[in-house]
Amino acid sequence: MQTQTPNPPLIRNNAKQLRLKINGIPYSLMVKPWVTLLDLLREELDLTGTKKGCDHGQCGACTVLCDDKRILSCLTLAVMRDGAEITTIEGIAPENGLHPLQTAFIEHDAFQCGYCTPGQICSAIGLLKEGKANTEAEVKDLMSGNLCRCGANPNIIAAIMEVKNGGSHE
């Protein structure tokens, strides 16, 4: 005869302490383990420049920099990044100015609706820091995870190549 083991009680409100540096500002937050970095940024910290597109890691609209590497914040649990330095689109520009990629995007008309632009720019900053994008074909391939439904991809690639080749100075 088998006896039933009772189900363990559900633990509610099991938030974890999380320390992050976001756009240069240190934060100490209580975060539930299932909260994505995207939702933390947008809903708790009001950093709405990072966009929620597909929420499945397929469009790149939610791309941010984590310790200078590009990540999809919709697929990243916030608690996984404890101690990390996160940079969103709001944190890339110097005070009273634009980041060189922002300038290049404007000069090359590399956006139309603008929804994907924050993720595109964060991804481009990350790929330039990776040092892997040496040709236009490589940039195109490495940016393939960031979708632009308006069709501005050729202009986006041109803007990134301009910065890569020193046209706008980082």
Side-chain angles (χ1 to χ4, degrees):
M1 177 173 193
Q2 290 183 331
T3 59
Q4 278 189 318
T5 307
N7 291 331
L10 291 176
I11 299 172
R12 300 196 193 285
N13 297 323
N14 53 347
K16 306 283 184 199
Q17 184 170 12
L18 176 64
R19 295 186 197 286
L20 294 170
K21 186 180 251 188
I22 302 172
N23 298 330
I25 300 168
Y27 288 88
S28 181
L29 306 157
M30 294 302 291
V31 180
K32 293 181 180 171
W34 54 84
V35 173
T36 65
L37 181 58
L38 174 62
D39 288 339
L40 175 69
L41 293 170
R42 290 184 58 80
E43 296 173 16
E44 300 299 322
L45 301 176
D46 203 29
L47 294 170
T48 57
T50 304
K51 302 303 182 203
K52 183 178 271 199
C54 67
D55 212 20
H56 295 285
Q58 297 174 348
C59 72
C62 68
T63 304
V64 297
L65 299 170
C66 178
D67 298 324
D68 285 335
K69 293 182 176 32
R70 53 200 177 133
I71 64 166
L72 298 171
S73 61
C74 76
L75 295 182
T76 304
L77 295 175
V79 295
M80 294 168 55
R81 300 302 175 170
D82 189 24
E85 186 164 339
I86 306 297
T87 306
T88 69
I89 193 70
E90 291 93 345
I92 66 162
E95 192 173 321
N96 299 321
L98 294 176
H99 186 280
L101 274 164
Q102 290 173 307
T103 302
F105 267 59
I106 292 167
E107 290 172 357
H108 286 273
D109 196 23
F111 52 90
Q112 289 179 29
C113 80
Y115 196 82
C116 71
T117 305
Q120 295 275 2
I121 290 174
C122 285
S123 188
I125 291 169
L127 86 86
L128 291 173
K129 288 182 181 199
E130 290 166 11
K132 297 178 187 173
N134 295 312
T135 66
E136 189 172 316
E138 288 176 339
V139 170
K140 186 176 179 180
D141 183 52
L142 291 167
M143 290 294 293
S144 65
N146 292 83
L147 304 180
C148 173
R149 298 193 185 273
C150 298
N153 294 73
N155 301 7
I156 291 167
I157 303 304
I160 296 167
M161 289 304 296
E162 178 182 310
V163 173
K164 167 82 175 131
N165 293 327
S168 291
H169 302 290
E170 274 191 278

